[in-house]
Amino acid sequence: MLLRGIAGLIATLVLWTAIVFIFQVPSFLLPGPMEVLNRLVFLFENAKLLRHIGVTLTEIVAGFVLGTVTGILAGVVFARLPRVERFATPLILLLQTAPKIAIAPLLLLWLGIGPTPKIVLIAIVTFFPVMSGMVTGLRYGEGSFRDLAAVLKLSPWQSFWHIELPSALPAVLAGMAVATTLAMTAAVIGELMGANEGIGYLLSSGQENSDTAVVIGMVLLLSLIGGAFYEIIELIRRRSLGRFQLS
């Protein structure tokens, strides 16, 4: 998987360079890879690029963890108490279907311009796929596991901890894998709406200054970070598939 990703990246860079060279595309429309790299080096040396990356990473990790934990807890409650799920579903659907670019300004007004509104927005988009995975895993998990719990006469807590939770883990991790891509989008939206640091802030600054190289550089950085997060979750998910599956 990693080798295919590297090969795809190299092919993209070669094609990008060829397009710029063959069609003589002006740099203000589409700068070449080397020009983008030089701009990133400039930002690293003069604009504290690593600090901006760290700010965005902190927001993503904090929001992702918050959304994952609340999604798992809510999934357990909903799987056990369908009435609570029916009561909460309209609010959850409202938050998920509302455009995040419309929610971000409200969070900025309520929580200020610091990292908190970005973390909350990331948690909101992370919550739903994780919660859905947890509910699905608990309700529709392998029936043989539940039969095993009955045979062993496990308590409800033992059944949940040793049987139901492990069997639900693949579905939860699948939801987390989906949530990684949504978390990246939410982080950028939050920083574009209002921030004084972070990758989204640099992207916005590049747009305001008509600096295409900076904009492309920030987009590439975000894509690499998002891809890394996704691959980490996918690696954990693939390794967990066979572990909790009956043969």
Side-chain angles (χ1 to χ4, degrees), residues 110-135:
W110 293 337
L111 303 174
I113 201 172
T116 305
K118 290 84 169 177
I119 292 173
V120 172
L121 185 62
I122 294 168
I124 289 173
V125 301
T126 302
F127 170 84
F128 186 74
V130 174
M131 181 271 295
S132 299
M134 190 67 184
V135 171

Side-chain angles (χ1 to χ4, degrees), residues 125-182:
V125 301
T126 302
F127 170 84
F128 186 74
V130 174
M131 181 271 295
S132 299
M134 190 67 184
V135 171
T136 300
L138 290 177
R139 284 182 177 168
Y140 310 110
E142 178 61 57
S144 300
F145 284 124
R146 292 191 290 271
D147 296 338
L148 177 62
V151 170
L152 295 176
K153 298 181 180 179
L154 299 181
S155 67
W157 169 251
Q158 289 174 322
S159 177
F160 172 77
W161 185 254
H162 296 289
I163 303 293
E164 295 176 275
L165 184 59
S167 67
L169 185 59
V172 173
L173 288 171
M176 291 172 63
V178 173
T180 57
T181 59
L182 301 176

